[in-house]
């Protein structure tokens, strides 16, 4: 069998098995990657050291570093403290709690990772709902959805954004300027939507609200000194992200430096902190990068990008149809499959498409000049991919890791959420948020720039 | 000494469909720490101890994050008592059983007790419960052996 078909087969089988969830995705990704190497589709040097075909260490180190920072931070009890404080600010009023929890989740997810955010907030949510004698499920679902919405806003908010930023060489501020505005609009509409859905149903007696007001949240801060150090480092790190573009640092450099600083001043043992790193996810990324490298090398991605060009007809001056198709396609695909392998595939595909459109396929796809990658005509396509991949995750229970975590925790708390129940809220919210994104892209990049 | 020689061949058991209220009454009346849970013709389906009983009071989020228990209002325990009284024992019992057979030696029984932290020690033939080893009888046998050795 020629390398093209071998690589294509490895790619298809790996993705099919990942989607089936019969075998853990990390095992599948590493097996697929090993096959690519053993069958010499890519050699080890390409997989480990080439920017075009290899592991994207920018993504890997950004993820590991942020996991370490958050791993130390979550020991301080700050997340639980903020949650209880918010419930008190809401005066124990259930809908206000739901809205404030959603906003807190969204903001935390924008700067930290979605999984940790919901992992830390879900137990407190269960407590608050229990104290109010209420069904916790609406609170949990609205948090999962808010987490995916919030994560869309920044470069570090959600893995698809980290991956897109690395390949498209976009900065933290690019994401803030282009995605945060639409995410804020989406959040406002989202809060109104959940008010419409749940607002009237959420009623409790006054004496139950008093229970919330009487909780002593101060005791939740276990280590105020560590907390101050963490907040300082997180502040410095986020400031570093804001200016990394000007200083010409990659985001991973900033994150790694932040993690190193916190390591030095926190006094925590390295061994304990490394336990906080989600190694299975890290190796899932590593495996995927190698698998995708294989199909890039044999030309499958190039063929797929030609198909995309034929289908959506992008030109040097207009990629409206392409961005709309990518937005919806990404959203639907991300609702059904993990958005990480999807984005890992789409990134080189878009680069190849740009190569074809602007350089007649003559340049090296992985090293296109900035004026091509950041061409005003191409930019909406990147944003469409980010918005679709992140917001699509809300569609189903398995669309995003935050959803999976929430469902797992609900089950542990003996309040199971069925797949269909999740979808009943997830699908409408996904459609609503993607429609808003569609209008945003259309107005901001096609109406306003045309005039 | 074999398990069959030290076990109580007709232990008091509780049916899997009995309620938590029944369980509490039985444990309290007999001053037991735990019971074997059976169904049908003495088929052993689980064990239940005070530990499982108390765990049933704890909300899931406390199991996820212990500190949250400090934030729950006073009166929660009593509320939970009313909530769980009619739940079947089946819903709280431990069903991952360590099965002790009648021919097992005493030392292997002890190994199971220590390694699996058994509070209740059922002896089975297949799935059928044929006896239960009480901690009291283990201790009195230990004492007996010690006295015999001493007098030798």
């Amino acid at each position: 069998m020629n390398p093209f078909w071998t690589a294509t087969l490895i790619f298809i089988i790996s993705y099919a098995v990942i989607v089936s969830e019969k075998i853990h995705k990390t095992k599948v990704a590493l097996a697929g990657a090993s096959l690519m190497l053993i069958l010499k589709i890519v050699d080890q040097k390409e997989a480990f050291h080439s920017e075009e075909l290899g592991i994207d260490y920018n993504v890997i180190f950004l993820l590991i570093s942020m996991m370490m920072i958050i791993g130390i931070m979550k020991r301080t009890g700050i997340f639980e403290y903020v949650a209880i404080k918010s419930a008190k600010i809401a005066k124990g009023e259930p809908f206000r709690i739901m809205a404030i929890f959603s906003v807190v989740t969204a903001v935390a997810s924008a700067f930290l990772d979605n999984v940790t955010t919901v992992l830390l907030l879900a137990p407190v949510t269960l407590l608050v709902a229990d104290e109010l004698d209420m069904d916790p499920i609406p609170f949990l679902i609205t948090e999962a959805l808010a987490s995916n919405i919030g994560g869309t806003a920044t470069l570090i908010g959600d893995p698809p954004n980290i991956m897109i930023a690395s390949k498209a060489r976009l900065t933290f501020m690019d994401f803030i300027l282009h995605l945060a505005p639409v995410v804020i609009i989406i959040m406002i509409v989202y809060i109104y939507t959940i008010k419409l859905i749940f607002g009237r149903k959420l009623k409790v007696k006054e004496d139950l609200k008093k229970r919330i007001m009487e909780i002593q949240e101060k005791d939740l801060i276990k280590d105020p000194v560590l907390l101050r150090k963490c907040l300082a480092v997180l502040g410095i790190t986020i400031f570093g992200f804001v200016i990394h573009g000007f200083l010409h640092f990659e985001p991973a450099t900033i994150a790694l430096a932040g993690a190193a600083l916190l390591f030095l001043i926190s006094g925590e043992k390295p061994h304990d902190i490394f336990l906080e790193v989600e190694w299975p996810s890290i190796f899932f990324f590593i495996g995927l990068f190698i698998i995708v490298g294989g199909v890039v090398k044999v030309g499958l991605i190039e063929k797929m990008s030609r198909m995309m060009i034929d289908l959506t007809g992008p030109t040097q001056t207009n990629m409206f149809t392409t961005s709309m198709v990518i937005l919806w396609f990404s959203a639907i695909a991300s609702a059904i499959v993990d958005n990480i392998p999807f984005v890992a595939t789409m990134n080189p595909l878009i680069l190849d498409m740009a190569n074809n459109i602007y350089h007649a396929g003559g340049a090296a796809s992985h090293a296109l000049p900035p004026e091509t990658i950041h061409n005003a005509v191409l930019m909406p396509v990147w944003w469409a991919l980010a918005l679709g991949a992140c917001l699509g995750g809300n569609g189903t229970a398995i669309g995003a890791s935050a959803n999976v975590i929430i469902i797992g925790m609900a089950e542990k708390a003996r309040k199971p959420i069925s797949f269909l129940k999740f979808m009943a809220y997830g699908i409408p919210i996904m459609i609503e948020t993607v429609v808003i994104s569609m209008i945003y892209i259309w107005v901001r990049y096609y109406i306003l720039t045309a005039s | 000494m074999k398990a069959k020689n030290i076990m109580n061949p007709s232990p008091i058991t509780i049916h899997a469909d009995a309620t938590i209220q029944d369980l509490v009454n039985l444990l309290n009346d007999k001053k037991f720490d735990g019971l074997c849970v059976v169904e049908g013709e003495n088929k052993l389906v689980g064990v239940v101890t005070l530990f499982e009983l108390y765990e049933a009071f704890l909300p899931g989020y406390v199991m996820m994050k212990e500190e949250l228990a400090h934030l729950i209002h006073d009166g929660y325990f009593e509320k939970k008592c009313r909530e769980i009284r009619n739940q079947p024992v089946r819903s709280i019992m431990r069903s991952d059983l360590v099965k002790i057979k009648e021919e097992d030696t005493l030392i292997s029984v002890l190994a199971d007790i220590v390694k699996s932290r058994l509070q209740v020690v059922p002896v089975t033939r297949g799935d059928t419960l044929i006896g239960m080893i009480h901690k009291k009888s283990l201790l009195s046998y230990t004492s007996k052996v010690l006295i015999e050795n001493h007098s030798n």
Side-chain angles (χ1 to χ4, degrees):
Chain A
M1 195 152 50
N2 70 26
F4 178 85
W5 288 111
T6 313
T8 305
L9 210 62
I10 295 173
F11 174 81
I12 293 173
I13 292 174
S14 303
Y15 276 40
V17 180
I18 289 171
V19 172
S20 79
E21 295 187 343
K22 291 267 185 276
I23 304 176
H24 190 283
K25 61 185 185 178
T26 304
K27 292 184 187 174
V28 182
L30 285 181
S34 302
L35 276 177
M36 288 284 185
L37 288 165
I38 289 169
L39 298 174
K40 293 199 180 341
I41 307 289
V42 283
D43 62 40
Q44 185 179 303
K45 195 166 179 211
E46 288 166 323
F48 287 6
H49 301 288
S50 98
E51 205 171 316
E52 184 194 8
L53 305 173
I55 300 160
D56 191 336
Y57 292 105
N58 202 12
V59 173
I60 300 293
F61 281 98
L62 184 56
L63 287 169
I64 295 177
S65 306
M66 290 309 287
M67 285 174 185
M68 292 197 291
I69 294 177
I70 297 159
I72 297 177
M73 199 159 169
K74 74 181 187 193
R75 297 172 178 209
T76 62
I78 178 71
F79 294 95
E80 291 82 5
Y81 174 86
V82 169
I84 296 292
K85 197 87 193 159
S86 323
K88 283 182 146 181
I89 291 172
K91 300 216 174 345
E93 187 70 52
F95 176 72
R96 265 191 246 153
I97 293 180
M98 180 182 266
I100 296 184
F101 274 15
S102 294
V103 173
V104 168
T105 309
V107 173
S109 299
F111 294 100
L112 309 168
D113 78 286
N114 302 358
V115 168
T116 313
T117 305
V118 296
L119 208 57
L120 295 171
L121 288 179
V124 188
T125 307
L126 286 161
L127 167 89
V128 168
D130 201 14
E131 288 292 273
L132 292 170
D133 282 340
M134 299 193 80
D135 179 12
I137 293 178
F139 291 88
L140 291 175
I141 294 180
T142 48
E143 272 168 37
L145 301 177
S147 158
N148 296 320
I149 295 172
T152 313
T154 71
L155 187 157
I156 52 170
D158 211 359
N161 287 0
I162 299 178
M163 297 164 88
I164 293 166
S166 181
K167 280 286 178 222
R169 280 173 263 150
L170 295 166
T171 66
F172 188 83
M173 284 314 286
D174 288 331
F175 280 81
I176 294 286
L177 294 174
H178 292 267
L179 292 188
V182 62
V183 170
I184 292 169
I185 298 170
I186 288 173
M187 250 340 261
I188 295 168
V189 176
Y190 176 68
I191 299 292
Y192 276 103
T193 312
I194 60 175
K195 189 177 171 79
L196 221 64
I197 303 174
F198 299 110
R200 265 191 233 144
K201 292 181 211 156
L202 302 176
K203 287 275 179 286
V204 296
K205 292 199 206 93
E206 287 303 318
D207 56 322
L208 297 182
K209 290 180 197 168
K210 239 172 68 193
R211 282 185 192 162
I212 300 292
M213 301 313 286
E214 282 165 3
I215 296 178
Q216 293 299 318
E217 73 276 11
K218 276 205 199 79
D219 304 340
L220 286 167
I221 301 286
K222 276 164 286 189
D223 189 342
V225 179
L226 181 62
L227 176 60
R228 274 195 290 274
K229 289 175 182 171
C230 284
L231 290 177
V233 171
L234 188 68
I236 295 170
T237 310
I238 290 175
F239 181 69
F241 284 133
V242 170
I243 59 169
H244 83 97
F246 305 110
L247 301 177
H248 302 288
F249 286 129
E250 294 284 352
T253 305
I254 304 287
L256 193 61
L261 178 64
L262 190 54
F263 243 136
L264 278 175
I265 62 171
S266 73
E268 303 282 315
K269 291 199 189 83
H271 189 268
D272 292 348
I273 302 310
F274 281 114
L275 289 178
E276 302 287 355
V277 176
E278 266 290 314
W279 293 108
S281 305
I282 299 295
F283 277 89
F284 176 57
F285 279 96
I286 290 177
L288 276 178
F289 284 134
I290 299 176
I291 294 176
V292 172
V295 288
V296 168
K297 188 176 172 188
V298 299
L300 175 68
I301 297 293
E302 194 188 332
K303 278 203 165 53
M304 285 161 67
S305 92
R306 292 262 160 75
M307 275 166 64
M308 172 74 84
I309 293 170
D310 289 343
L311 190 74
T312 63
T315 66
Q316 286 190 14
T317 51
N318 194 325
M319 296 195 186
F320 178 71
T321 317
T322 310
S323 52
M324 289 301 140
V325 169
I326 285 187
L327 176 70
W328 281 101
F329 184 62
S330 307
I332 294 163
S334 300
I336 304 167
V337 304
D338 199 324
N339 55 15
I340 292 162
F342 175 76
V343 173
T345 317
M346 287 305 285
N347 273 335
L349 196 153
I350 293 176
L351 288 175
D352 195 83
M353 182 187 84
N355 186 7
N356 275 308
I357 303 287
Y358 294 104
H359 305 279
S365 284
H366 66 285
L368 296 175
E371 59 268 27
T372 307
I373 304 184
H374 298 161
N375 190 301
V377 179
L378 184 65
M379 286 301 277
V381 176
W382 293 120
W383 302 131
L385 175 62
L387 287 165
C390 294
L391 297 172
N394 270 340
T396 64
I398 51 159
S401 330
N403 312 356
V404 177
I405 296 287
I406 282 286
I407 284 172
M409 298 196 89
E411 194 157 323
K412 257 199 222 160
R414 289 168 236 142
K415 301 276 179 197
I417 303 172
S418 70
F419 271 47
L420 283 176
K421 174 134 189 156
F422 191 95
M423 272 172 73
Y425 299 107
I427 294 276
I429 294 294
M430 171 189 127
I431 293 174
E432 179 186 71
T433 55
V434 177
V435 167
I436 297 172
S437 307
M438 198 171 103
I439 298 169
Y440 172 80
I441 290 175
W442 178 56
V443 171
R444 172 153 181 186
Y445 303 103
Y446 296 94
I447 305 281
L448 294 180
T449 48
S451 58
Chain B
M1 181 66 91
K2 298 280 177 66
K4 64 180 175 191
N5 307 117
I6 199 168
M7 73 186 191
N8 167 6
S10 47
I12 293 174
T13 58
I14 190 160
H15 196 274
D17 293 328
T19 63
I20 289 185
Q21 170 109 55
D22 300 332
L23 173 70
V24 172
N25 292 344
L26 195 55
L27 290 176
N28 193 35
D29 290 348
K30 306 279 180 195
K31 305 290 171 220
F32 285 159
D33 289 347
L35 289 167
C36 291
V37 185
V38 294
E39 59 180 24
E41 301 271 316
N42 235 15
K43 184 182 170 216
L44 180 70
V45 290
V47 294
V48 64
T49 65
L50 288 176
F51 186 83
E52 279 79 38
L53 175 66
Y54 296 152
E55 199 183 349
F57 285 90
L58 299 179
Y61 50 85
V62 169
M63 304 305 282
M64 296 167 199
K65 196 151 183 70
E66 229 177 273
E67 294 91 325
L68 296 180
H70 302 298
L71 310 185
I72 303 174
H73 68 277
D74 190 13
Y76 188 89
F77 176 83
E78 290 77 4
K79 179 186 115 179
K80 205 73 184 183
C81 270
R82 292 189 292 277
E83 262 177 44
I84 65 173
R85 64 192 293 176
N86 291 322
Q87 268 183 38
V89 168
R90 184 191 303 283
S91 65
I92 64 165
M93 69 184 189
R94 269 187 67 174
S95 46
D96 53 332
L97 293 167
V98 177
K99 288 194 174 165
I100 288 168
K101 291 184 280 297
E102 50 196 316
E103 293 298 333
D104 285 354
T105 60
L106 203 47
I107 197 72
S108 87
V109 172
L110 287 181
D112 285 331
I113 291 177
V114 171
K115 283 185 70 181
S116 310
R117 308 241 163 234
L118 297 184
Q119 297 291 330
V120 174
V121 190
V123 182
T124 54
R125 190 184 295 148
D127 284 337
T128 310
L129 178 74
I130 57 163
M132 190 169 139
I133 300 175
H134 293 289
K135 289 201 182 140
K136 265 188 308 205
S137 28
L138 272 176
L139 189 63
S140 55
Y141 181 65
T142 313
S143 159
K144 197 176 136 206
V145 174
L146 287 175
I147 291 166
E148 277 170 11
N149 283 354
H150 190 67
S151 55
N152 281 344

